[in-house]
Amino acid sequence: MTHRHVNILGTRGIPAAHGGFETFAAKLAPYLVAQGWTVNVYCQDDDGRHTDGQRDIWNGINRIFFHASRHGPVGTMEFDLKCARHVTGEPGIDLVNQYFVSIARIEPENSILELVQGASRIGGTIKTVVLGKLDEQNAYHNQVRAAASDAVIFPGAIYDQTIVKALRFHALAYLHGHQVGGTNPSLVEALGAGNAVLAHDNRFNRWTAGPEQFYFDSADAVADRMAEISTDPERRSRAKQAAIARHAESFRWDQILSAYEAVLARQAALA
């Protein structure tokens, strides 16, 4: 099996001290190490205790330190620039707050092949993370692998809900390829997390997610919508706000349970 190596940038480092993507990195990095990956995490040295590029190993994770001479946003930019320059000499995949995520079984009815084909066509540095178990004896899974460029990451099936929620929350958009199934719980969860959504274009998904989200009916459309999402922050922001509003409008438990009670009450009155 090909050796797997990932470099995580865009955080202040681990252990997490600043929330957000740092928390995600602190969860994902040890998980990947346990799965046999080599993981580098770039860490900002605020105290000047390390020389630039100095490394250590923390819980099996390779930490690479860089110091910023200034504080605040300017210092963060300096740190990010040093990391970006350094990572060009490192092997493996670079994971940076800029990725799409699919969380679904890898099956034809979930449009995983079309999503991977589209993600592989857009180029650039934005990654697509496809969660789910791949079986080398499965012909469809082999098609999916063969269609993937270096922009697509297959971390395997992840069941730790903290990691799954963090992956979803920090993604540019949640990819939902389900072609059947009515109101799918994973799509509702994405709306509740405030995700922009790129969903398969069918009446179930359009009703659930609403008109402000993004839809596809082919691999080419996946590539077009991904390019739009990644280059138009205002449009993406509108989709995120609409997701939260749609979830609050129709998918709160008190609303759902009272609706079911009303249906049952009508049936009881007819009995």
Side-chain angles (χ1 to χ4, degrees):
M1 183 174 65
T2 302
H3 183 67
R4 298 179 295 178
H5 186 124
V6 65
N7 307 299
I8 300 178
L9 302 85
T11 80
R12 298 283 294 277
I14 55 174
H18 300 278
F21 189 53
E22 280 79 4
T23 300
F24 159 58
K27 289 286 186 179
L28 181 64
Y31 175 87
L32 291 177
V33 168
Q35 305 306 310
W37 290 70
T38 296
V39 180
N40 288 345
V41 176
Y42 284 83
C43 302
Q44 184 167 342
D45 174 19
D46 292 326
D47 302 319
R49 291 180 295 175
H50 303 85
T51 58
D52 278 357
Q54 184 176 340
R55 302 173 183 246
D56 71 8
I57 297 177
W58 181 80
N59 291 346
I61 301 158
N62 302 313
R63 299 192 299 182
I64 305 174
F65 294 90
F66 284 95
H67 176 67
S69 60
R70 289 163 287 187
H71 297 288
V74 175
T76 299
M77 292 174 64
E78 179 188 352
F79 167 69
D80 288 340
L81 179 59
K82 288 182 177 181
C83 294
R85 287 173 173 166
H86 185 271
V87 79
T88 60
E90 294 293 311
I93 297 165
D94 303 332
L95 179 58
V96 188
N97 257 7
Q98 296 290 302
Y99 63 93
F100 296 93
V101 65
S102 166
I103 305 171
R105 292 190 305 275
I106 299 179
E107 298 177 353
E109 68 180 27
N110 291 337
S111 309
I112 304 300
L113 180 58
E114 292 89 338
L115 290 170
V116 169
Q117 289 171 332
S120 298
R121 291 175 189 173
I122 61 172
T125 60
I126 295 177
K127 305 296 184 182
T128 296
V129 181
V130 179
L131 271 64
K133 183 179 180 180
L134 286 167
D135 183 351
E136 293 182 358
Q137 305 303 313
N138 184 301
Y140 182 73
H141 290 185
N142 289 333
Q143 274 188 289
V144 169
R145 281 188 188 275
S149 72
D150 291 342
V152 181
I153 301 171
F154 298 103
I158 297 178
Y159 300 105
D160 186 320
Q161 286 303 302
T162 301
I163 297 175
V164 172
K165 289 177 181 178
L167 276 168
R168 184 189 293 118
F169 181 80
H170 294 289
L172 280 173
Y174 169 71
L175 307 180
H176 187 78
H178 294 55
Q179 301 176 25
V180 296
T183 305
N184 189 276
S186 62
L187 179 52
V188 173
E189 290 175 357
L191 297 175
N195 281 122
V197 172
L198 173 55
H200 182 268
D201 193 355
N202 60 62
R203 62 191 180 94
F204 304 112
N205 292 339
R206 279 193 175 271
W207 181 87
T208 304
E212 288 292 336
Q213 301 307 323
F214 303 84
Y215 297 92
F216 72 92
D217 57 8
S218 66
D220 286 338
V222 170
D224 291 343
R225 298 292 84 74
M226 282 185 167
E228 182 181 359
I229 292 166
S230 61
T231 59
D232 190 342
E234 291 185 6
R235 175 70 177 87
R236 189 169 69 241
S237 178
R238 290 201 304 273
K240 292 168 70 72
Q241 292 170 9
I244 294 171
R246 178 67 178 139
H247 187 271
E249 173 190 5
S250 297
F251 298 113
R252 295 176 55 129
W253 274 115
D254 55 348
Q255 298 165 328
I256 294 170
L257 297 177
S258 64
Y260 269 94
E261 182 189 13
V263 171
L264 292 172
R266 287 196 296 271
Q267 295 299 316
L270 295 174

Coordinates of all heavy atoms in Angstrom, one line a residue, residues 7-14 18 40-56 62-72 74-90:
N7 N 0.1 16.9 5.5 CA 0.6 18.1 6.2 C -0.6 19.0 6.5 O -1.3 19.4 5.6 CB 1.6 18.9 5.3 CG 2.7 18.0 4.7 OD1 3.5 17.4 5.5 ND2 2.8 17.8 3.4
I8 N -0.7 19.4 7.8 CA -1.9 20.2 8.2 C -1.3 21.6 8.4 O -0.5 21.9 9.3 CB -2.6 19.7 9.4 CG1 -3.1 18.2 9.1 CG2 -3.7 20.6 9.9 CD1 -3.8 17.6 10.3
L9 N -1.9 22.6 7.7 CA -1.5 24.0 7.8 C -2.8 24.8 8.1 O -3.9 24.3 8.0 CB -0.9 24.5 6.5 CG 0.3 23.9 5.9 CD1 -0.1 22.7 5.0 CD2 1.1 24.9 5.0
G10 N -2.5 26.1 8.4 CA -3.6 27.0 8.6 C -4.2 27.0 10.0 O -5.2 27.6 10.3
T11 N -3.4 26.4 10.9 CA -3.8 26.4 12.3 C -2.7 27.1 13.1 O -1.6 27.3 12.6 CB -4.1 25.0 12.9 OG1 -2.8 24.4 13.2 CG2 -4.8 24.1 11.9
R12 N -3.0 27.4 14.4 CA -1.9 27.8 15.3 C -1.1 26.6 15.8 O 0.0 26.8 16.4 CB -2.5 28.6 16.4 CG -3.2 29.9 16.0 CD -2.3 31.0 15.7 NE -1.5 31.5 16.8 CZ -2.0 32.3 17.7 NH1 -3.2 32.9 17.6 NH2 -1.2 32.7 18.7
G13 N -1.6 25.4 15.6 CA -0.9 24.2 16.0 C -1.6 23.4 17.0 O -2.8 23.7 17.4
I14 N -1.0 22.4 17.5 CA -1.5 21.5 18.5 C -0.5 21.3 19.7 O 0.7 21.5 19.5 CB -1.9 20.1 17.9 CG1 -0.7 19.5 17.3 CG2 -3.0 20.2 17.0 CD1 -0.9 18.1 16.8
H18 N -7.0 27.5 20.6 CA -7.7 28.6 20.0 C -9.0 28.3 19.4 O -9.7 29.1 18.8 CB -6.8 29.4 19.0 CG -5.6 29.9 19.5 ND1 -5.5 31.1 20.2 CD2 -4.3 29.4 19.5 CE1 -4.2 31.3 20.6 NE2 -3.5 30.3 20.2
N40 N 2.2 15.7 9.6 CA 2.9 16.9 10.0 C 1.9 18.0 10.4 O 1.0 18.2 9.6 CB 3.8 17.5 8.9 CG 5.0 16.6 8.6 OD1 5.4 15.8 9.4 ND2 5.6 16.9 7.5
V41 N 2.1 18.7 11.5 CA 1.2 19.8 11.8 C 2.2 21.0 12.1 O 3.1 20.9 12.9 CB 0.4 19.5 13.1 CG1 -0.4 20.8 13.5 CG2 -0.5 18.4 12.9
Y42 N 1.9 22.1 11.4 CA 2.7 23.3 11.5 C 2.2 24.1 12.7 O 1.0 24.3 12.8 CB 2.6 24.1 10.2 CG 3.5 23.6 9.1 CD1 3.0 22.5 8.3 CD2 4.8 24.0 8.9 CE1 3.8 22.0 7.3 CE2 5.6 23.5 7.9 CZ 5.1 22.5 7.1 OH 5.9 21.9 6.2
C43 N 3.1 24.5 13.6 CA 2.7 25.1 14.8 C 3.4 26.5 15.0 O 4.6 26.7 14.6 CB 3.2 24.3 16.0 SG 2.4 22.6 16.0
Q44 N 2.6 27.5 15.4 CA 3.2 28.8 15.6 C 3.8 28.9 17.0 O 3.2 28.7 18.0 CB 2.1 29.9 15.5 CG 2.6 31.3 15.5 CD 1.6 32.3 15.1 OE1 0.6 32.0 14.4 NE2 1.8 33.6 15.5
D45 N 5.1 29.3 17.0 CA 5.9 29.5 18.2 C 5.8 30.9 18.7 O 6.5 31.8 18.1 CB 7.3 29.1 18.0 CG 8.2 29.3 19.2 OD1 7.6 29.5 20.3 OD2 9.4 29.4 19.0
D46 N 5.0 31.2 19.6 CA 4.8 32.6 20.1 C 5.9 33.1 21.0 O 6.0 34.3 21.3 CB 3.4 32.7 20.8 CG 2.2 32.6 19.8 OD1 2.4 33.0 18.6 OD2 1.2 32.0 20.2
D47 N 6.6 32.1 21.6 CA 7.6 32.5 22.7 C 9.0 32.5 22.2 O 9.9 32.8 23.0 CB 7.4 31.5 23.8 CG 6.0 31.5 24.4 OD1 5.5 32.6 24.6 OD2 5.5 30.4 24.7
G48 N 9.3 32.1 20.9 CA 10.6 32.1 20.4 C 11.5 31.0 21.0 O 12.7 31.0 21.0
R49 N 10.8 29.9 21.5 CA 11.6 28.8 22.1 C 12.2 27.8 21.0 O 13.0 27.0 21.4 CB 10.7 28.0 23.0 CG 10.3 28.8 24.3 CD 9.5 28.0 25.2 NE 8.2 27.7 24.6 CZ 7.3 26.9 25.2 NH1 7.5 26.3 26.3 NH2 6.1 26.7 24.6
H50 N 11.7 27.9 19.8 CA 12.2 27.0 18.7 C 12.7 27.9 17.6 O 12.3 29.0 17.3 CB 11.0 26.2 18.2 CG 10.3 25.4 19.2 ND1 9.3 25.9 20.0 CD2 10.4 24.1 19.6 CE1 8.8 25.0 20.8 NE2 9.5 23.9 20.6
T51 N 13.7 27.3 16.9 CA 14.2 27.9 15.7 C 13.2 27.5 14.6 O 12.6 26.5 14.6 CB 15.6 27.4 15.4 OG1 15.6 25.9 15.2 CG2 16.6 27.8 16.4
D52 N 13.2 28.4 13.6 CA 12.3 28.1 12.4 C 12.6 26.8 11.8 O 13.7 26.5 11.5 CB 12.4 29.2 11.4 CG 11.5 30.4 11.8 OD1 10.8 30.4 12.8 OD2 11.6 31.4 11.0
G53 N 11.5 25.9 11.6 CA 11.7 24.6 11.0 C 12.0 23.5 12.0 O 12.1 22.4 11.6
Q54 N 12.2 23.9 13.3 CA 12.5 22.9 14.3 C 11.3 21.9 14.5 O 10.2 22.4 14.4 CB 12.9 23.5 15.6 CG 13.3 22.6 16.7 CD 13.7 23.3 18.0 OE1 14.0 24.5 18.0 NE2 13.7 22.5 19.1
R55 N 11.6 20.7 14.7 CA 10.6 19.6 14.8 C 10.6 18.9 16.2 O 11.7 18.9 16.8 CB 10.8 18.6 13.7 CG 10.7 19.1 12.3 CD 11.1 18.0 11.3 NE 11.2 18.5 9.9 CZ 10.3 18.2 8.9 NH1 9.4 17.3 9.2 NH2 10.5 18.7 7.7
D56 N 9.5 18.4 16.5 CA 9.4 17.5 17.6 C 8.3 16.5 17.3 O 7.6 16.6 16.3 CB 9.3 18.1 19.0 CG 8.0 18.7 19.3 OD1 7.0 18.6 18.5 OD2 7.8 19.4 20.3
N62 N 4.2 14.7 14.0 CA 5.4 15.5 13.7 C 5.0 17.0 13.8 O 4.2 17.4 12.9 CB 6.0 15.2 12.4 CG 6.4 13.7 12.2 OD1 7.0 13.2 13.1 ND2 6.0 13.1 11.1
R63 N 5.5 17.7 14.7 CA 5.2 19.2 14.8 C 6.4 19.9 14.2 O 7.5 19.6 14.6 CB 4.9 19.6 16.3 CG 3.7 18.9 16.9 CD 3.3 19.5 18.2 NE 4.3 19.5 19.2 CZ 4.2 20.0 20.5 NH1 3.1 20.5 20.8 NH2 5.2 19.9 21.3
I64 N 6.0 20.9 13.4 CA 7.0 21.8 12.8 C 6.8 23.2 13.2 O 5.7 23.7 13.0 CB 7.0 21.7 11.3 CG1 7.2 20.2 10.8 CG2 8.1 22.5 10.6 CD1 7.0 20.0 9.3
F65 N 7.8 23.8 13.8 CA 7.6 25.2 14.5 C 8.1 26.3 13.6 O 9.2 26.2 13.0 CB 8.2 25.2 15.8 CG 7.6 24.3 16.8 CD1 8.1 23.0 17.0 CD2 6.5 24.7 17.6 CE1 7.5 22.1 17.9 CE2 5.9 23.8 18.6 CZ 6.4 22.5 18.7
F66 N 7.4 27.4 13.6 CA 7.9 28.6 13.0 C 7.5 29.8 13.9 O 6.4 29.7 14.5 CB 7.3 28.8 11.6 CG 8.0 28.0 10.5 CD1 7.5 26.8 10.2 CD2 9.2 28.4 10.0 CE1 8.1 26.0 9.2 CE2 9.8 27.6 9.0 CZ 9.3 26.4 8.7
H67 N 8.3 30.8 14.0 CA 8.1 31.9 14.8 C 7.7 33.2 14.0 O 8.3 33.4 12.9 CB 9.4 32.2 15.7 CG 9.3 33.4 16.5 ND1 8.4 33.5 17.6 CD2 9.9 34.6 16.4 CE1 8.5 34.7 18.2 NE2 9.4 35.4 17.5
A68 N 6.8 33.9 14.5 CA 6.4 35.2 13.8 C 7.0 36.3 14.6 O 6.9 36.4 15.9 CB 4.9 35.3 13.7
S69 N 7.7 37.3 14.0 CA 8.3 38.4 14.7 C 7.4 39.4 15.2 O 7.7 40.3 16.0 CB 9.4 39.0 13.8 OG 8.8 39.5 12.6
R70 N 6.1 39.4 14.6 CA 5.1 40.4 15.0 C 3.9 39.7 15.5 O 3.7 38.5 15.4 CB 4.7 41.2 13.7 CG 5.9 42.2 13.3 CD 5.7 42.7 11.9 NE 6.0 41.7 10.9 CZ 6.0 41.9 9.6 NH1 5.8 43.1 9.1 NH2 6.3 40.9 8.8
H71 N 3.0 40.5 16.2 CA 1.8 39.9 16.8 C 0.6 40.3 16.0 O 0.7 41.1 15.0 CB 1.7 40.5 18.2 CG 2.8 40.1 19.1 ND1 2.9 38.8 19.6 CD2 3.8 40.8 19.7 CE1 4.0 38.7 20.4 NE2 4.5 39.9 20.5
G72 N -0.5 39.6 16.3 CA -1.8 40.0 15.6 C -1.9 39.4 14.2 O -1.1 38.5 13.8
V74 N -0.9 40.5 11.3 CA 0.3 40.6 10.5 C 1.3 39.4 10.9 O 1.9 38.8 10.0 CB 1.0 41.9 10.7 CG1 2.4 41.9 10.0 CG2 0.2 43.1 10.3
G75 N 1.4 39.1 12.2 CA 2.2 38.0 12.6 C 1.6 36.6 12.1 O 2.4 35.8 11.7
T76 N 0.3 36.5 12.1 CA -0.3 35.3 11.5 C 0.0 35.1 10.0 O 0.3 34.0 9.6 CB -1.8 35.3 11.7 OG1 -2.1 35.4 13.1 CG2 -2.5 34.1 11.1
M77 N 0.0 36.2 9.3 CA 0.3 36.2 7.9 C 1.8 35.8 7.7 O 2.1 35.0 6.8 CB 0.0 37.5 7.2 CG -1.4 37.9 7.1 SD -1.7 39.6 6.5 CE -1.0 39.4 4.9
E78 N 2.7 36.3 8.5 CA 4.1 36.0 8.4 C 4.3 34.5 8.7 O 5.0 33.8 8.0 CB 4.9 36.8 9.4 CG 6.4 36.4 9.5 CD 7.1 37.1 10.6 OE1 6.5 38.0 11.3 OE2 8.3 36.8 10.8
F79 N 3.6 34.0 9.7 CA 3.7 32.5 10.1 C 3.2 31.7 8.9 O 3.8 30.7 8.5 CB 2.9 32.3 11.3 CG 2.6 30.8 11.6 CD1 3.6 30.0 12.0 CD2 1.3 30.3 11.5 CE1 3.4 28.6 12.3 CE2 1.0 29.0 11.8 CZ 2.1 28.1 12.2
D80 N 2.0 32.0 8.4 CA 1.4 31.3 7.3 C 2.3 31.2 6.1 O 2.5 30.2 5.4 CB 0.0 31.8 6.9 CG -1.0 31.6 7.9 OD1 -0.8 30.6 8.7 OD2 -2.1 32.3 7.9
L81 N 3.0 32.4 5.8 CA 3.9 32.4 4.6 C 5.1 31.5 4.8 O 5.5 30.8 3.9 CB 4.3 33.9 4.4 CG 5.3 34.1 3.2 CD1 4.7 33.7 1.9 CD2 5.8 35.6 3.2
K82 N 5.6 31.5 6.0 CA 6.8 30.6 6.3 C 6.4 29.1 6.1 O 7.1 28.3 5.5 CB 7.3 30.8 7.7 CG 8.1 32.1 7.9 CD 8.6 32.3 9.3 CE 9.4 33.5 9.5 NZ 9.9 33.6 10.9
C83 N 5.2 28.8 6.6 CA 4.7 27.4 6.5 C 4.5 27.0 5.0 O 4.8 25.9 4.6 CB 3.4 27.3 7.3 SG 3.5 27.5 9.1
A84 N 3.9 28.0 4.3 CA 3.6 27.7 2.9 C 4.9 27.4 2.1 O 4.9 26.6 1.2 CB 2.8 28.8 2.3
R85 N 5.9 28.2 2.4 CA 7.2 28.0 1.7 C 7.8 26.7 2.1 O 8.3 26.0 1.3 CB 8.1 29.2 2.1 CG 7.8 30.5 1.4 CD 8.7 31.6 2.0 NE 8.5 32.9 1.3 CZ 8.9 34.0 1.7 NH1 9.6 34.1 2.8 NH2 8.7 35.1 1.0
H86 N 7.7 26.3 3.4 CA 8.4 25.1 3.9 C 7.7 23.9 3.4 O 8.3 22.9 3.0 CB 8.3 25.1 5.4 CG 9.1 24.0 6.0 ND1 8.5 22.7 6.3 CD2 10.4 23.8 6.4 CE1 9.4 21.9 6.8 NE2 10.6 22.6 6.9
V87 N 6.3 23.9 3.3 CA 5.6 22.7 2.9 C 5.8 22.2 1.5 O 5.6 21.1 1.2 CB 4.1 22.9 3.2 CG1 3.4 23.6 2.1 CG2 3.4 21.5 3.4
T88 N 6.3 23.2 0.7 CA 6.6 22.8 -0.7 C 7.7 21.7 -0.8 O 7.8 21.0 -1.8 CB 7.0 24.0 -1.6 OG1 8.2 24.6 -1.0 CG2 5.9 25.0 -1.6
G89 N 8.5 21.6 0.2 CA 9.6 20.6 0.3 C 9.2 19.3 1.0 O 10.0 18.4 1.2
E90 N 7.9 19.3 1.5 CA 7.5 18.1 2.2 C 6.6 17.2 1.3 O 5.9 17.7 0.4 CB 6.6 18.5 3.4 CG 7.3 19.3 4.5 CD 8.4 18.4 5.2 OE1 8.0 17.3 5.6 OE2 9.5 18.8 5.3

